[in-house]
Amino acid sequence: MYIKCMYINARSLTAKMDMLQGYVNTYDVDAVFVTETWFNQNIGEGEIAIPGFQCFRQDRVDRIGGGVAIYIKTTFHGVRLEDVGPFKEALWCRIMIGEEQIVLGVVYRSSSSTQEDVDRMIQTLERAAQNRRIIVTGDFNYPDINWEYMTGETPNSRKFIETIQESFWYQHVQEPTRESNILDLVFSSEEEMIEELKVAETFGSSDHNCVSWKTIVTRGIEEKTCKYEDWKRADWTKMKEEIAESNWEELFHGKDVQCMWNIFTNIYEKQVEKYVPKQERTLHQRPKWMTKEVRRLIRKKRKAWKEYKRGNSWSDLNCYKSLQAQVKVKIKEAKRDFEYLLSEKIKEDPKSFYSYLP
């Protein structure tokens, strides 16, 4: 089996969250790696959430710009890894797929990085390489590296290549991701872990191309659904009877508040387990405002990009840019129209309105 991955250099993601949700839904992506999120402490989790996904973020704190993030489907039970290394604009997490454990990492090295930043990045990559199975992607800003011959023109480039070789990592991107330069890279600890890697169109106003690929997992079965309590079908009568039979005065006698709370929640959880049936639901949900027209335009835009890459003609480029603008407009229109209808029906259907709120 495999997980579908996408990398984007966003150049400010907050204003493009609707576009990102459109991509995730249209291409059924399992994991998204983002550089240049431009997130900061004033941006709440609700503003950048995608239903059915965990969001891990590492914001730049000393100045504007930068920042990295990873979105992972909740079925993979992602866990953030701390203390991987001293480099600040890197993010690491571990996912479990059946019995298989894979570490995912995203790195952003600015072209204006200091020598101290570069040294810290190298230290961090060396530590990350201790993991047996790992995928690392990001914008490393080494335009002078020739990845076919593994050569670099500067000492820092050569040190970076040396680190990758000593880690026994494989670099999979072999065509430009920004103008004529290969800046955005995808590494794996095993060559066969990456399949069907494609350099795709740019993401919104970013001048970097997206990269997509499949990460191959040799064992395990992907969970597509999760269980939840169906309170509408709960047996409230029996729950109340059993809870009423509990001698609370005796159970709580001489106990502090925390201990009493633990006793209560333990009894409550047992009642829920016995008398509240469970249902299954799909975790990956389409954005409620998503329309067939938006999905069709997103696919059409990617097709136009492939045509441009094949022929490299101005007419194909103009066609792609026209579709890119249409996608942006249609996403805004679809979301605006959906939210307007919700507000119009709020009195007769308040549940739909409040369930839409982040």
Side-chain angles (χ1 to χ4, degrees):
M1 64 165 295
Y2 59 84
I3 58 175
K4 294 179 73 173
C5 300
M6 174 178 282
Y7 161 81
I8 62 174
N9 176 295
R11 287 184 61 81
S12 184
L13 184 59
T14 309
K16 302 171 185 172
M17 285 304 303
D18 295 336
M19 185 178 293
L20 179 58
Q21 286 198 46
Y23 272 56
V24 166
N25 177 258
T26 301
Y27 301 117
D28 193 24
V29 179
D30 299 307
V32 184
F33 304 79
V34 190
T35 56
E36 291 202 76
T37 60
W38 295 12
F39 291 163
N40 59 59
Q41 61 183 2
N42 297 318
I43 297 174
E45 299 297 329
E47 296 178 70
I48 58 173
I50 299 178
F53 282 75
Q54 293 174 273
C55 174
F56 300 94
R57 58 192 277 191
Q58 179 68 33
D59 304 346
R60 181 183 284 178
V61 295
D62 54 346
R63 60 191 190 279
I64 62 172
V68 293
I70 303 176
Y71 288 87
I72 307 170
K73 274 187 178 176
T74 52
T75 47
F76 299 129
H77 312 295
V79 177
R80 180 166 182 160
L81 302 179
E82 306 287 354
D83 301 323
V84 175
F87 188 59
K88 298 300 182 184
E89 292 199 77
L91 177 62
W92 310 88
C93 63
R94 180 181 65 244
I95 61 173
M96 297 296 299
I97 308 173
E99 299 177 1
E100 199 67 43
Q101 174 178 296
I102 299 177
V103 172
L104 306 177
V106 60
V107 179
Y108 175 60
R109 186 190 80 86
S110 168
S111 56
S112 60
S113 294
T114 64
Q115 186 59 49
E116 186 178 15
D117 288 333
V118 173
D119 293 341
R120 286 175 175 171
M121 183 190 71
I122 294 298
Q123 291 176 41
T124 300
L125 294 176
E126 288 172 345
R127 289 190 198 177
Q130 296 173 15
N131 293 282
R132 187 177 67 86
R133 303 199 77 199
I134 188 169
I135 300 292
V136 184
T137 185
D139 179 1
F140 292 86
N141 272 302
Y142 284 114
D144 61 298
I145 291 181
N146 183 315
W147 287 102
E148 182 179 359
Y149 299 106
M150 299 294 283
T151 58
E153 298 176 7
T154 67
N156 277 335
S157 297
R158 291 191 287 272
K159 177 61 178 176
F160 181 66
I161 293 171
E162 181 183 327
T163 302
I164 299 305
Q165 290 176 324
E166 290 179 353
S167 300
F168 298 100
W169 286 354
Y170 298 87
Q171 203 290 110
H172 299 269
V173 181
Q174 298 298 330
E175 59 181 287
T177 60
R178 182 180 182 271
E179 298 176 351
S180 60
N181 302 308
I182 302 177
L183 303 183
D184 308 280
L185 311 172
V186 177
F187 298 101
S188 67
S189 53
E190 300 168 16
E191 188 173 14
E192 64 275 9
M193 284 178 72
I194 303 294
E195 287 188 359
E196 298 182 28
L197 185 140
K198 299 173 184 176
V199 176
E201 72 273 25
T202 57
F203 182 74
S205 59
S206 174
D207 56 358
H208 289 245
N209 298 92
C210 302
V211 182
S212 65
W213 69 91
K214 291 179 179 179
T215 297
I216 305 303
V217 182
T218 57
R219 299 191 302 275
I221 300 174
E222 181 180 359
E223 293 272 340
K224 288 290 186 182
T225 61
C226 74
K227 290 185 177 181
Y228 70 100
E229 287 86 14
D230 186 355
W231 290 94
K232 290 182 180 179
R233 297 170 57 207
D235 192 337
W236 294 100
T237 302
K238 289 188 178 180
M239 280 185 70
K240 290 177 182 178
E241 287 175 357
E242 288 205 15
I243 289 176
E245 290 173 1
S246 300
N247 189 334
W248 297 106
E249 188 173 345
E250 181 179 330
L251 289 169
F252 289 165
H253 182 71
K255 307 292 193 305
D256 59 25
V257 173
Q258 184 61 52
C259 188
M260 287 190 286
W261 173 252
N262 292 340
I263 292 170
F264 171 77
T265 54
N266 181 261
I267 292 173
Y268 168 77
E269 287 169 359
K270 286 180 179 179
Q271 301 308 309
V272 170
E273 185 69 29
K274 286 175 67 176
Y275 298 117
V276 182
K278 287 184 170 55
Q279 297 290 335
E280 286 192 346
R281 65 181 172 196
T282 302
L283 280 172
H284 177 52
Q285 299 174 345
R286 181 183 301 176
K288 294 181 179 180
W289 49 261
M290 176 68 76
T291 65
K292 289 182 179 179
E293 184 180 11
V294 170
R295 297 183 73 189
R296 180 184 63 80
L297 275 174
I298 290 175
R299 289 193 179 101
K300 195 173 180 181
K301 179 169 77 82
R302 176 155 291 189
K303 185 178 179 181
W305 174 259
K306 290 178 180 178
E307 289 293 328
Y308 165 64
K309 292 294 288 183
R310 190 179 297 117
N312 207 30
S313 70
W314 281 107
S315 60
D316 288 339
L317 178 60
N318 289 332
C319 178
Y320 163 72
K321 287 185 175 180
S322 174
L323 285 167
Q324 184 181 42
Q326 289 181 52
V327 168
K328 189 173 182 179
V329 170
K330 288 298 180 183
I331 285 176
K332 286 184 177 180
E333 288 180 354
K335 190 172 184 183
R336 181 198 63 204
D337 293 345
F338 177 78
E339 291 175 351
Y340 176 76
L341 288 174
L342 278 183
S343 64
E344 286 286 291
K345 297 180 179 179
I346 188 171
K347 288 186 178 180
E348 60 261 34
D349 188 14
K351 184 178 179 180
S352 294
F353 177 82
Y354 289 109
S355 67
Y356 177 69
L357 297 178

